[in-house]
Amino acid sequence: MNTERPDLNRIAAEVNACQRCPLARTRTHAVPGEGPHDVEIMLIGEGPGYHEDQQGRPFVGKSGKFLEQLLSSINLTREQVFIANVIKCRPPNNRDPLPMEMDACTPYLQQQIELINPLLIVTLGRFSMGQFISADARITRIHGKPLRQEGRIILPLFHPAAALRNPQWQKAMYEDAAQIPALTEAVRQIRAQHAEEVDDDLEQLSLF
Ligand code: URA
């Protein structure tokens, strides 16, 4: 039995060798995600596209450029956050991930979240949102509305690719992202003061 504590590198190695679903046969590279283990913020997208599949890195295409601009607008770089996806291998022709693919893959994301224990999770797009918030929720209604969950805050944002296709959503994305520093600081302070009762204390924040 392997009793070693899983770390991000080990999870990445498992993802790179994963054969849990048929996407293993069509991928060029799996895309485990990247970033330091001690970050406060995780950004979670849907799944790799063409460029990510080619390079084995998340958000390296046009969506990635937009994401980097968004981060820069709040004085962050991609090296200061952990960037991951719900599914780690590219679906052929960028089709939506299938439920069985997500079921097979999300344990990796859950392990990454457990290890990093971020203060804030920013979901990008509806598939990522659906991992944390009811799948019936409509992203057009709840984007930018933070909610508390398990001692942290989840902030749903549009997907960068959707914002590139619908330029009228780009302003919303910048406005939604502008909340990230204050939300992170709020959870940081609460965790520092009351490590034990984070969820109770989060109740005091006036969220939506
Ligand atoms: N879109 C995603 O959801 N993830 C990526 O890594 C790239 C594009």
Side-chain angles (χ1 to χ4, degrees), residues 45-49 52 58-59 63 85 159:
E46 177 180 321
E52 292 75 21
F59 283 100
S63 297
N85 281 304
H159 193 285

Side-chain angles (χ1 to χ4, degrees), residues 58-84:
F59 283 100
V60 288
K62 277 192 197 141
S63 297
K65 273 268 161 309
F66 182 62
L67 196 60
E68 286 170 19
Q69 285 164 11
L70 207 61
L71 287 170
S72 161
S73 74
I74 48 170
N75 296 318
L76 287 175
T77 64
R78 63 182 290 149
E79 290 77 24
Q80 292 173 290
V81 297
F82 193 90
I83 306 180

Side-chain angles (χ1 to χ4, degrees), residues 80-188:
Q80 292 173 290
V81 297
F82 193 90
I83 306 180
N85 281 304
V86 174
I87 59 163
K88 312 296 193 192
C89 295
R90 180 188 183 218
N93 302 316
N94 296 344
R95 65 156 167 72
D96 288 346
L98 302 174
M100 63 83 68
E101 293 161 355
M102 289 198 282
D103 289 348
C105 209
T106 49
Y108 294 125
L109 179 63
Q110 281 154 11
Q111 287 176 43
Q112 289 171 321
I113 294 171
E114 255 170 57
L115 270 170
I116 295 169
N117 191 18
L119 306 180
L120 181 73
I121 291 178
V122 179
T123 64
L124 301 167
R126 65 195 169 96
F127 283 98
S128 175
M129 178 191 76
Q131 293 297 309
F132 302 92
I133 302 168
S134 153
D136 301 334
R138 297 195 69 92
I139 190 140
T140 44
R141 276 212 204 118
I142 69 160
H143 72 89
K145 297 185 176 170
L147 51 108
R148 47 183 166 258
Q149 195 175 93
E150 297 179 13
R152 64 176 61 95
I153 286 178
I154 313 290
L155 180 66
L157 260 58
F158 288 120
H159 193 285
L164 288 173
R165 282 194 304 271
N166 303 279
Q168 75 276 16
W169 288 355
Q170 291 177 18
K171 183 162 170 275
M173 273 196 92
Y174 279 101
E175 286 168 0
D176 293 348
Q179 302 177 72
I180 290 174
L183 291 172
T184 311
E185 175 61 20
V187 187
R188 190 187 295 133

